[in-house]
Amino acid sequence: MEAKSSRIIVFGAGGRVGRAAVAEARRRGHEVMAVGRGDGSVTDPAAVARLAAGHDAAIVAVYDPGARPGEFFPAVSRALAEGLPAAGVKRLVSVGLASVLATASGDLLMDTPGYPQEWREFYVGHGAGTEALRAAAPEALDWVVLSPAGDFDHEGEPSGGYVPAPAAADSRITLGDFARALLDEAEAPTLHRTHAGVSAA
């Protein structure tokens, strides 16, 4: 059954994940506002509220290479937690990182043997963003953080499906299939106030 057309705002629409989300939303017939860096700061609650006004759901796939991750991602979360409800947006699907997702054993992927540690500050900053969202989001904002269970497959063709999965270093999913997961959760939420991973079906 086709979901009814909605108004969806995509923050970080210039990146690879953001572009895939915009394309998938438009393919489904939604009205999309694609927000890039020049449209307003996603760390400013007032800018978030202004941009998001009149939308049904928000997808967020932002990154600032010039900012400290431990400051940037929590600031984004706090701005979303304040700005989206002020704009009347009830659903947030934020793009997370597999590194701070639990594996089948319960350990975070970044803490498993052999996992690359040179970007640990980035991993930890992403995780701090999720915790800030958990702490700051009011009940009126139904949110989920969704990430690949491992990494993106930039070479393969989308399968048209995906499955929920714990973190695993060898897990892969195409951008197209990940965008399907983002839009499914924006349209008909099944995950609430949690960080979940998806892998190729």
Side-chain angles (χ1 to χ4, degrees), residues 64-87:
D64 183 349
R68 293 181 63 88
E71 297 171 0
F72 175 71
F73 290 110
V76 169
S77 292
R78 289 189 291 268
L80 294 169
E82 181 179 339
L84 292 179

Side-chain angles (χ1 to χ4, degrees), residues 28-94:
R28 297 185 184 202
H30 297 304
E31 184 178 339
V32 183
M33 176 181 278
V35 176
R37 288 182 186 165
D39 297 311
S41 175
V42 75
T43 59
D44 177 2
V48 169
R50 173 177 55 81
L51 291 163
H55 291 85
D56 301 297
I59 294 173
V60 179
V62 294
Y63 165 57
D64 183 349
R68 293 181 63 88
E71 297 171 0
F72 175 71
F73 290 110
V76 169
S77 292
R78 289 189 291 268
L80 294 169
E82 181 179 339
L84 292 179
V89 177
K90 295 180 171 60
R91 181 60 169 171
L92 164 63
V93 183
S94 184

Side-chain angles (χ1 to χ4, degrees), residues 117-133:
Q117 295 299 307
E118 55 265 41
W119 300 289
R120 191 174 180 93
E121 181 184 3
F122 184 70
Y123 310 156
V124 172
H126 244 291
T130 299
E131 290 311 307
L133 188 58

Side-chain angles (χ1 to χ4, degrees), residues 7 29 35 38-39 42 63 67 69 79 88 95 98 102 109 115 121 125 128 149 164 178 184:
R7 297 190 70 199
V35 176
D39 297 311
V42 75
Y63 165 57
V95 177
L109 185 58
Y115 197 75
E121 181 184 3
F178 186 66
D184 284 352

